[in-house]
Amino acid sequence: SLVGCVRLLRPIHSADPLHFFKDLLDGAMRRRAHALLAEAQAAGRPFCEVSRLCLAPEVRSLAMTRRLVLEIIATAHRYGMDHCLFTCDAPHAPFWQRIGFHAVDGFTGYARPRSSRPGWLLRGSYAELLALHRAELRRIGLAPLLPTVLAA
Protein backbone atom coordinates (compact mmCIF):
# COMPACT_ATOMS: atom_id res chain seq x y z
CA SER A 1 0.00 0.00 0.00
CA LEU A 2 1.10 3.56 -0.69
CA VAL A 3 2.48 5.25 2.41
CA GLY A 4 4.41 8.13 0.89
CA CYS A 5 5.06 10.10 -2.24
CA VAL A 6 7.45 12.63 -3.73
CA ARG A 7 7.92 14.69 -6.90
CA LEU A 8 11.21 14.67 -8.77
CA LEU A 9 11.28 17.75 -10.98
CA ARG A 10 13.63 18.35 -13.87
CA PRO A 11 14.47 21.98 -14.66
CA ILE A 12 12.21 23.76 -17.15
CA HIS A 13 13.04 26.72 -19.41
CA SER A 14 11.70 29.55 -17.28
CA ALA A 15 12.76 32.36 -14.97
CA ASP A 16 11.97 29.84 -12.22
CA PRO A 17 13.44 26.61 -13.64
CA LEU A 18 12.82 24.75 -10.38
CA HIS A 19 10.18 25.18 -7.69
CA PHE A 20 12.55 26.60 -5.06
CA PHE A 21 13.42 29.57 -7.30
CA LYS A 22 10.04 31.10 -6.37
CA ASP A 23 11.44 31.68 -2.87
CA LEU A 24 14.61 33.41 -4.03
CA LEU A 25 13.83 37.11 -4.08
CA ASP A 26 17.42 38.26 -3.68
CA GLY A 27 19.08 38.79 -7.07
CA ALA A 28 22.46 37.47 -5.94
CA MET A 29 20.88 34.27 -4.60
CA ARG A 30 18.97 33.74 -7.86
CA ARG A 31 22.16 34.20 -9.88
CA ARG A 32 23.99 31.70 -7.63
CA ALA A 33 21.13 29.19 -7.99
CA HIS A 34 21.20 29.56 -11.79
CA ALA A 35 24.97 29.03 -11.66
CA LEU A 36 24.45 25.78 -9.69
CA LEU A 37 22.12 24.52 -12.41
CA ALA A 38 24.49 25.54 -15.17
CA GLU A 39 27.39 23.84 -13.36
CA ALA A 40 25.48 20.55 -13.07
CA GLN A 41 24.35 20.70 -16.69
CA ALA A 42 27.84 21.56 -17.98
CA ALA A 43 29.26 18.60 -16.06
CA GLY A 44 26.64 16.34 -17.66
CA ARG A 45 25.06 15.44 -14.31
CA PRO A 46 21.39 14.53 -14.74
CA PHE A 47 19.62 16.80 -12.32
CA CYS A 48 16.33 17.06 -10.42
CA GLU A 49 14.65 18.87 -7.55
CA VAL A 50 13.05 16.77 -4.83
CA SER A 51 9.68 18.30 -4.00
CA ARG A 52 6.63 17.56 -1.89
CA LEU A 53 7.93 14.61 0.12
CA CYS A 54 5.10 13.33 2.29
CA LEU A 55 4.21 10.30 4.40
CA ALA A 56 0.84 9.06 5.64
CA PRO A 57 0.36 10.19 9.27
CA GLU A 58 -0.12 6.65 10.57
CA VAL A 59 3.38 5.58 9.43
CA ARG A 60 5.22 8.85 9.94
CA SER A 61 8.49 8.41 11.85
CA LEU A 62 12.14 9.28 11.34
CA ALA A 63 12.90 5.64 10.47
CA MET A 64 10.15 5.48 7.83
CA THR A 65 11.18 8.86 6.41
CA ARG A 66 14.78 7.66 6.16
CA ARG A 67 13.67 4.47 4.40
CA LEU A 68 11.51 6.41 1.93
CA VAL A 69 14.39 8.82 1.23
CA LEU A 70 16.76 5.90 0.53
CA GLU A 71 14.17 4.39 -1.83
CA ILE A 72 13.79 7.75 -3.58
CA ILE A 73 17.56 8.07 -4.00
CA ALA A 74 17.87 4.56 -5.44
CA THR A 75 14.87 4.95 -7.74
CA ALA A 76 15.92 8.38 -9.04
CA HIS A 77 19.41 7.07 -9.76
CA ARG A 78 17.98 4.05 -11.57
CA TYR A 79 15.99 6.43 -13.80
CA GLY A 80 19.11 8.34 -14.78
CA MET A 81 19.15 11.21 -12.31
CA ASP A 82 22.19 11.82 -10.18
CA HIS A 83 22.35 15.36 -8.83
CA CYS A 84 19.58 16.95 -6.77
CA LEU A 85 18.78 20.21 -5.06
CA PHE A 86 15.95 20.82 -2.62
CA THR A 87 14.90 23.17 0.12
CA CYS A 88 13.79 22.32 3.60
CA ASP A 89 12.74 24.20 6.71
CA ALA A 90 15.74 25.04 8.90
CA PRO A 91 14.74 22.61 11.72
CA HIS A 92 14.79 19.70 9.22
CA ALA A 93 18.27 20.39 7.83
CA PRO A 94 20.13 18.21 10.39
CA PHE A 95 18.07 15.15 9.32
CA TRP A 96 19.06 15.63 5.67
CA GLN A 97 22.68 16.26 6.58
CA ARG A 98 22.80 13.00 8.55
CA ILE A 99 21.69 11.21 5.38
CA GLY A 100 24.58 12.81 3.52
CA PHE A 101 23.16 15.86 1.76
CA HIS A 102 25.21 19.05 1.95
CA ALA A 103 24.10 22.62 2.56
CA VAL A 104 24.77 24.94 -0.35
CA ASP A 105 27.00 27.82 0.74
CA GLY A 106 25.04 31.05 1.06
CA PHE A 107 21.67 29.26 1.25
CA THR A 108 21.34 28.45 4.95
CA GLY A 109 18.70 30.23 6.99
CA TYR A 110 17.42 32.46 4.18
CA ALA A 111 13.99 34.10 4.39
CA ARG A 112 11.29 32.63 2.16
CA PRO A 113 8.15 34.59 1.24
CA ARG A 114 5.96 31.47 1.19
CA SER A 115 7.03 30.12 4.59
CA SER A 116 7.36 31.47 8.10
CA ARG A 117 10.49 29.34 8.66
CA PRO A 118 13.93 30.05 7.22
CA GLY A 119 14.99 27.76 4.39
CA TRP A 120 18.07 25.72 3.62
CA LEU A 121 19.09 24.65 0.14
CA LEU A 122 20.68 21.20 0.13
CA ARG A 123 22.25 19.13 -2.59
CA GLY A 124 23.60 15.67 -3.12
CA SER A 125 24.80 13.12 -5.61
CA TYR A 126 22.65 9.99 -5.67
CA ALA A 127 25.61 7.82 -6.69
CA GLU A 128 27.60 9.02 -3.66
CA LEU A 129 24.61 8.61 -1.33
CA LEU A 130 23.95 5.08 -2.58
CA ALA A 131 27.56 4.13 -1.92
CA LEU A 132 27.38 5.70 1.53
CA HIS A 133 24.21 3.76 2.44
CA ARG A 134 24.87 0.50 0.57
CA ALA A 135 24.92 -1.69 3.70
CA GLU A 136 21.72 -0.17 5.06
CA LEU A 137 19.94 -0.55 1.72
CA ARG A 138 20.87 -4.23 1.71
CA ARG A 139 19.82 -4.68 5.34
CA ILE A 140 16.33 -3.25 4.76
CA GLY A 141 15.78 -5.30 1.62
CA LEU A 142 16.41 -2.63 -0.99
CA ALA A 143 19.49 -4.21 -2.59
CA PRO A 144 17.55 -4.76 -5.87
CA LEU A 145 17.39 -0.97 -6.21
CA LEU A 146 21.17 -0.61 -6.06
CA PRO A 147 23.16 -0.23 -9.28
CA THR A 148 24.98 -3.47 -10.12
CA VAL A 149 28.39 -1.99 -9.28
CA LEU A 150 27.21 -1.17 -5.74
CA ALA A 151 25.10 -4.28 -5.10
CA ALA A 152 28.09 -6.62 -4.68
Side-chain angles (χ1 to χ4, degrees):
S1 66
L2 180 66
V3 298
C5 63
V6 68
R7 292 188 315 187
L8 300 176
L9 305 172
R10 293 184 188 266
I12 61 171
H13 296 288
S14 165
D16 296 325
L18 293 169
H19 184 70
F20 78 87
F21 274 78
K22 295 174 184 169
D23 284 330
L24 301 178
L25 301 181
D26 177 80
M29 288 181 81
R30 288 184 69 82
R31 286 188 295 280
R32 174 72 175 121
H34 278 286
L36 288 170
L37 289 180
E39 176 187 303
Q41 291 168 336
R45 292 190 308 252
F47 185 90
C48 70
E49 177 182 19
V50 178
S51 175
R52 306 284 191 240
L53 175 67
C54 62
L55 282 167
E58 63 273 12
V59 298
R60 203 170 288 158
S61 70
L62 285 176
M64 181 58 84
T65 303
R66 183 178 178 90
R67 181 186 172 106
L68 179 60
V69 168
L70 292 175
E71 289 187 50
I72 291 165
I73 291 166
T75 301
H77 190 278
R78 189 175 62 201
Y79 282 97
M81 293 181 235
D82 182 53
H83 192 74
C84 74
L85 283 173
F86 63 96
T87 57
C88 69
D89 289 347
H92 301 156
F95 169 81
W96 296 105
Q97 290 176 307
R98 282 191 301 274
I99 289 179
F101 291 94
H102 303 282
V104 176
D105 289 339
F107 289 87
T108 57
Y110 66 94
R112 299 179 296 171
R114 298 178 301 148
S115 177
S116 60
R117 292 184 178 178
W120 279 50
L121 182 63
L122 299 162
R123 70 173 159 186
S125 160
Y126 292 143
E128 291 172 10
L129 291 164
L130 288 173
L132 179 66
H133 297 288
R134 177 177 58 188
E136 183 176 359
L137 286 159
R138 287 193 327 311
R139 184 180 53 74
I140 62 176
L142 298 177
L145 295 178
L146 287 168
T148 307
V149 295
L150 292 177

